[in-house]
Amino acid sequence: MAAARDAGALEKLVDQCTSPARPKGSAAEAENEKLRRQVERLEKELARNRAALEVLGEASALLEMISEGAD
């Protein structure tokens, strides 16, 4: 049983040594990626807020029309 465990551990080590290392990006590249994700998130939030404002404006106009009709 210990032999099988040792063989499995050895195989894992060999795989780690032979697998290509992922190139590490520079700090600037990491910061750029972080900022890209932040910009994408904020653009979605902005679009959602603009849509909400448009709906509120339309609701306000509708309420104004109903109010004028009731007079």
Side-chain angles (χ1 to χ4, degrees):
M1 207 155 165
R5 181 193 69 220
D6 293 344
L10 181 60
E11 186 177 332
K12 184 168 175 105
L13 284 173
V14 169
D15 287 344
Q16 288 177 351
C17 292
T18 58
S19 65
R22 197 176 104 204
K24 295 183 178 175
S26 69
E29 289 171 344
E31 181 70 12
N32 284 342
E33 184 58 33
K34 176 184 169 188
L35 292 172
R36 279 188 202 100
R37 287 191 308 268
Q38 183 179 16
V39 166
E40 185 178 323
R41 180 182 57 81
L42 292 172
E43 285 175 341
K44 288 178 183 178
E45 185 178 332
L46 177 61
R48 186 173 56 245
N49 289 342
R50 284 181 175 166
L53 282 172
E54 185 177 336
V55 168
L56 286 173
E58 291 173 1
S60 176
L62 180 60
L63 288 172
E64 188 175 325
M65 287 173 43
I66 292 171
S67 172
E68 289 173 356
D71 290 336

